[in-house]
Amino acid sequence: MFSKAFCTLALAAAAQAAIVDVYYNITYATANPDGMFERKVVGVNGTWPPPPLIVNVNDTVRVTAHNGLGDQNIGLHHHGMFFNTTSHYDGAPAITQCGTPPGATITYEIPVDTQWGTYWWHSHVGRQYVDGLRAPFLIHNTNETHKYDDEYTVILGDWYHEQQEVLIKQFLSVYNPTGAEPVPNSALVYWMHNGTYLDGFSNVTVPFEAGKTYRIRVINTSAFAMFWTWIDGHQMRIIEADGTDTEEYETDIIGLGVAQRYSFLVTAKNDTSSNFAFHANFDSVMFDTVPDDLVINYTSTIQYAANAPLAPEETREYNRVPDELLVPSIVEIQQGPATKSIELGVYFDTFDNGQNRAAFNNITYVPPTTPSLYSALSMGTDANDVAIYGQQTHAYVLEKGDIVDLQVINWDANTHPFHLHGHKVQLVRVAMDVASNDTSLNPPHTEGAANPMRRDTVVVPAGGAYNLRFVADNPGAWVFHCHIEWHFEAGLAVVFIEAPTVAQETTKVPQYMLDQCTAQGISPTGNAVGKNSTTNLSGEATGPKPQVNGWRPRAIGALAGTILAALFGMGAVVWYAFGGQLDHEDLEDEVRRELEAKKDGGLIKRNVKKAFNSSKST
């Protein structure tokens, strides 16, 4: 009976499936979304913002992107997609592909047969993501878990007036020793309905009809900023986080780290005499400095009637959504016990090149020349040797079926949103303070949770930790990184090489993608530098390294030189005080002898001799 019902559902889904082909010409455009400054942005087909991608589960989705920029590579990442057996379509240059060069084209095939919910797509090249190449990606399920009458999507994002290539140089600089991130100039809060953006990028009017239940999808597409959101006068019921449907969870505020998504239900009032504010406020605690002209709080208007007044605005305590308490609608017991445990400590410090860098376990990520996936696919059994991926790729090789317990401890003073490509992780432990003896703040790590929450992006609090559980069942190369773009650029990333010998059998990279590497002088085979060797990584890009405390040879030499110079200087002072100085005639004789000995010397000596002779003649 079950098999017949399952087949009936499968046939119905297949009958509704469509082929969705979209074509993007990635180009520059100009835009002034905050109304304060017109600037060059990265868009699609000469326009901005880029178009949303909206499909149904089981559709065949192909995104063809042409690089029309002319001066940089591209790589598009469809955030949260698994890409099982097709890791090469994940869109992360240096990890799963070579960047697609100017004038070239790439087609990403995106499987949406086992996933639905709220996602987004963005460039995985930092310049383009910060400069605007980001948009919603929604996958509608055949039968949604929760019922509602209509839906809106609200896109949150920070906005900079300066281009990323300028800001990153200021950030990764010896003149920024504290690692203060660039503070955005404004926030963008714009809305979408039925695949069309509503007018405006702030203070947007959002029509509500009395008595209807709305699904509101919220996406934080920022490069840096976290947001706090709520609707005055209404209760929100969370029903989804990062593509995982959940049981309803009531809350009066939702905080979103970078790259996180939530859906909530809100039922419109029957009384239409007032309109209400939707709030989206920067979490300004993340900013090292808050400029005097920076607007922190932004609102849109939930409109019941065009002429109705706005109800008095409300405030909220900024309390995190305890995402570990959300209950997935589809039950999945905790994976375990773990067969592999990995601990990653988050650190920021000044490295030996004078820059403030980010690091996991004191290793700052430096991308390899040959993409890590291509090394895994081309090195045979040597692909199991972590050394071939490079010292600072910071790779971990996982065996097929490994149950991984990934503990992320945030030793930094700020929160960080971490994203794992190719997976959702189970949230099996959350500690708000790893140094505390209070078990409510630092609970023990237990096994056997009946149905832990699953998502692809987690916000680890300052001084806190998350234990994340996932199964190595997706052969390929998957990066785990902070989704604050400045921190990713600063090196806060590791790469999981998952079942490489299995990937060699299941993953087939299109030849044209390999040819795009070759055309750029990059070997699509071999270790991190394109050599078929487990030991020869000459030419590998390494460093910077953590500074080593204590006296090093160069420092000792410098100190010794300083002391000697001081001793000579004091000796000269004493000698001079006791009449050891030369008189005028002695000085002239000394200089004349020196010039005679070096009369055929360089330009400086010749000029000195000329000057001396002329002074003598006078």
Side-chain angles (χ1 to χ4, degrees), residues 304-603:
Y304 284 92
N307 297 321
L310 189 69
E313 292 192 10
E314 303 170 6
T315 60
R316 296 283 191 273
E317 293 290 328
Y318 286 175
N319 297 318
R320 65 180 284 271
V321 172
D323 54 355
E324 71 276 12
L325 299 183
L326 299 178
V327 179
S329 300
I330 297 176
V331 176
E332 181 184 294
I333 64 171
Q334 179 174 327
Q335 302 288 349
T339 61
K340 191 174 187 70
S341 296
I342 298 171
E343 180 181 306
L344 297 177
V346 178
Y347 299 93
F348 285 76
D349 206 349
T350 303
F351 275 54
D352 61 4
N353 65 347
Q355 295 178 1
N356 189 285
R357 298 282 299 203
F360 281 126
N361 300 349
N362 283 330
I363 300 174
T364 187
Y365 175 79
V366 177
T369 302
T370 294
S372 298
L373 175 65
Y374 293 0
S375 294
L377 297 179
S378 63
M379 288 292 288
T381 57
D382 287 337
N384 291 308
D385 184 349
V386 71
I388 73 163
Y389 301 100
Q391 297 178 42
Q392 287 183 244
T393 301
H394 202 173
Y396 291 84
V397 176
L398 308 177
E399 295 182 8
K400 174 74 172 178
D402 266 343
I403 300 174
V404 181
D405 187 81
L406 177 62
Q407 183 178 35
V408 183
I409 304 177
N410 181 9
W411 299 114
D412 188 44
N414 230 330
T415 60
H416 292 274
F418 291 104
H419 170 52
L420 176 60
H421 289 219
H423 290 275
K424 285 181 184 175
V425 294
Q426 294 181 326
L427 314 185
V428 298
R429 173 178 171 266
V430 178
M432 300 305 294
D433 182 357
V434 293
S436 176
N437 292 322
D438 184 343
T439 55
S440 67
L441 298 175
N442 188 19
H445 190 5
T446 58
E447 297 285 347
N451 186 23
M453 181 56 191
R454 307 182 295 274
R455 65 184 314 169
D456 60 55
T457 306
V458 298
V459 174
V460 183
Y466 266 68
N467 280 76
L468 311 173
R469 190 68 56 89
F470 68 96
V471 179
D473 56 3
N474 193 1
W478 308 107
V479 63
F480 176 77
H481 65 97
C482 180
H483 219 291
I484 292 174
E485 182 59 29
W486 311 115
H487 297 169
F488 185 29
E489 296 281 351
L492 199 50
V494 300
V495 177
F496 293 112
I497 309 298
E498 208 165 312
T501 55
V502 177
Q504 291 166 15
E505 299 174 359
T506 60
T507 302
K508 307 301 178 186
V509 181
Q511 185 61 45
Y512 78 89
M513 292 182 69
L514 304 178
D515 293 342
Q516 288 180 357
C517 292
T518 305
Q520 299 174 71
I522 298 171
S523 172
T525 63
N527 60 23
V529 293
K531 294 180 172 66
N532 188 21
S533 173
T534 59
T535 58
N536 182 5
L537 283 94
S538 59
E540 176 189 8
T542 59
K545 305 285 187 182
Q547 295 191 66
V548 179
N549 293 327
W551 288 97
R552 310 302 298 163
R554 289 177 62 185
I556 294 171
L559 179 62
T562 302
I563 293 172
L564 288 173
L567 291 174
F568 282 127
M570 287 187 293
V573 170
V574 172
W575 176 72
Y576 188 88
F578 285 92
Q581 70 273 20
L582 296 174
D583 60 21
H584 181 72
E585 291 183 358
D586 290 336
L587 181 60
E588 285 193 357
D589 289 341
E590 180 70 20
V591 173
R592 188 177 292 109
R593 285 193 298 269
E594 182 70 16
L595 290 174
E596 184 65 26
K598 299 181 179 180
K599 61 182 179 180
D600 295 323
L603 178 62

Side-chain angles (χ1 to χ4, degrees), residues 7 12 108 153 176 208 270 290 347 350 400 431 489 510 574 591 602 608:
C7 289
Y108 296 98
T153 299
N176 184 30
F208 265 30
N270 290 316
V290 180
Y347 299 93
T350 303
K400 174 74 172 178
E489 296 281 351
V574 172
V591 173
V608 170

Side-chain angles (χ1 to χ4, degrees), residues 197-228:
Y197 294 125
L198 303 185
D199 290 337
F201 293 93
S202 64
N203 198 24
V204 176
T205 298
V206 183
F208 265 30
E209 292 185 31
K212 281 191 173 183
T213 295
Y214 291 88
R215 176 178 185 162
I216 309 296
R217 304 175 190 260
V218 191
I219 307 172
N220 186 356
T221 68
S222 294
F224 178 30
M226 179 175 175
F227 282 88
W228 298 98

Side-chain angles (χ1 to χ4, degrees), residues 187 227 280-284 287 290 294-298 318:
F227 282 88
N281 294 356
F282 273 144
D283 183 1
S284 60
F287 304 154
V290 180
L294 178 64
V295 176
I296 300 296
N297 303 328
Y298 297 79
Y318 286 175

Side-chain angles (χ1 to χ4, degrees), residues 231-234 269 274-278 300-304 310-311:
I231 302 179
D232 289 342
H234 295 71
K269 296 177 178 294
S274 295
N275 298 326
F276 296 84
F278 170 88
S300 300
T301 300
I302 303 299
Q303 185 185 81
Y304 284 92
L310 189 69

